[in-house]
Amino acid sequence: MGIINWNTELLPYEQAVDEIVLKLRNVQREFKRAQVHSPIEQVEGRVKSIASLLAKANSRNIPIDNALDVLEDIAGIRIICRFVEDIPKVVNIIRSRSDYDMKIIQEEDYITNTKSSGYRSYHITIEYKLMFENEVRILKCEIQIRTLAMNFWATIEHSLRYKYDGNLPEDLKIRLQNCAEAAFQLDNEMTTIRGELLQAQKTMRTQEFLVNEIVKNIHNLYAYAKVEHMNDFNKEFMEIYQDGNVEKLSEFNNKLETMAEIYNVRYV
Ligand code: 0O2
């Protein structure tokens, strides 16, 4: 191989990252649309920088010409979850796509097998099929799945590792291991209040839904059915809304729904 034009070589990886991020964000959106808790809280993607790619190849004695074939995390996706319990659900979502677009070729469970540094995360390597410049390409991509707490720790530790060029002083290593333990405890504590949090999320979503419906019904009754006194309804709505009682909101919306039905503006 001659001189490698890295910027050009990395273009299909950029496309793969963009596509995978989009697809996983759509999965997240589907959960939201169904008004249920999404195991995916956040999705991020990046293509490894040329500097970090060359450094990794160099540290592993990988000839530069082979780097693109050997390194499996040039395309990298990170999925952040709220709870540890969400992680296997995300893994299953990806597994279910194995015959379609994300073929799993490797899994590494650094949550059960925590790294000596304290690092926790679930890694999946996939083969991703994409069309690039009218050709089918199959690229490897590393998906890291972790909780918000695991991500917080890994981000800080990664920056420090970079600062010390990989040679963290012994006392800092120990403090970071303690922080990893604290993050682990935080995840465990969050698990114990998961039920309450999920209930709170559900109430918020119901409230959002009802407010949208009420505003729509009031508008339709006023604009299309020309119902008088809609201002009184608006006032009543604000009072109920400020009260914060979801059941009362629901009753009020039922009343508006019945009116919308009568005036034939239910589906406007
Ligand atoms: P970057 O800059 O994040 O891309 P291996 O041969 O298995 O030891 P490999 O093949 O790189 O190494 O896989 P591994 O160990 O699963 O690590 C892949 C990525 O996981 C790393 O990529 C990091 O992103 C993350 N990771 C692994 N161990 C740690 C750790 O101790 N601390 C932090 N913060 N992240 C970790 P890169 O290329 O190292 O870095």
Side-chain angles (χ1 to χ4, degrees), residues 56-253:
K56 193 161 184 174
N58 188 42
S59 72
R60 288 170 198 207
N61 294 322
I62 300 166
I64 216 64
D65 288 357
N66 289 348
L68 288 174
D69 297 326
V70 177
L71 294 179
E72 298 186 332
D73 65 341
I74 294 172
I77 302 289
R78 194 163 287 153
I79 302 176
I80 315 289
C81 309
R82 283 196 176 199
F83 303 105
V84 182
E85 290 74 13
D86 293 330
I87 295 175
K89 291 182 189 153
V90 174
V91 174
N92 280 336
I93 288 170
I94 297 168
R95 253 190 222 128
S96 71
R97 305 176 73 115
S98 238
D99 290 334
Y100 170 56
D101 56 353
M102 301 182 192
K103 185 177 170 209
I104 297 183
I105 54 168
Q106 200 183 329
E107 291 184 40
E108 282 160 309
D109 181 356
Y110 295 130
I111 296 173
T112 313
N113 309 305
T114 309
K115 284 202 165 192
S116 59
S117 60
Y119 180 75
R120 282 184 175 88
S121 199
Y122 198 97
H123 289 195
I124 292 180
T125 309
I126 57 160
E127 278 180 349
Y128 182 73
K129 198 193 265 190
L130 81 159
M131 280 297 285
F132 182 77
E133 291 178 343
N134 290 325
E135 271 179 30
V136 176
R137 299 274 303 264
I138 293 174
L139 299 181
K140 291 195 180 111
C141 169
E142 184 185 82
I143 304 180
Q144 300 180 342
I145 309 161
R146 45 170 90 144
T147 62
L148 287 157
M150 292 172 195
N151 192 48
F152 176 49
W153 181 91
T155 308
I156 304 287
E157 197 263 2
H158 189 272
S159 307
L160 288 170
R161 193 176 280 270
Y162 183 78
K163 179 180 174 213
Y164 288 97
D165 207 12
N167 303 309
L168 291 172
E170 212 46 42
D171 68 316
L172 192 55
K173 259 192 208 167
I174 291 166
R175 276 153 70 194
L176 281 165
Q177 282 160 351
N178 292 339
C179 288
E181 199 47 40
F184 178 60
Q185 293 305 335
L186 179 64
D187 273 334
N188 284 344
E189 278 300 308
M190 286 297 175
T191 292
T192 65
I193 54 171
R194 182 169 176 265
E196 265 187 67
L197 282 168
L198 291 182
Q199 188 55 43
Q201 280 181 316
K202 200 170 160 201
T203 308
M204 260 172 66
R205 279 193 299 266
T206 310
Q207 195 183 33
E208 260 174 41
F209 171 77
L210 287 170
V211 166
N212 281 343
E213 288 297 295
I214 290 170
V215 168
K216 187 186 78 189
N217 280 326
I218 290 180
H219 174 263
N220 286 350
L221 286 163
Y222 173 74
Y224 302 111
K226 311 285 180 214
V227 178
E228 288 176 14
H229 311 305
M230 283 322 287
N231 263 341
D232 295 341
F233 281 93
N234 236 342
K235 238 162 89 187
E236 191 181 343
F237 165 48
M238 286 321 294
E239 277 162 20
I240 296 172
Y241 178 74
Q242 274 157 10
D243 196 29
N245 186 322
V246 178
E247 269 169 34
K248 282 189 185 162
L249 271 179
S250 175
E251 279 168 24
F252 183 64
N253 186 46

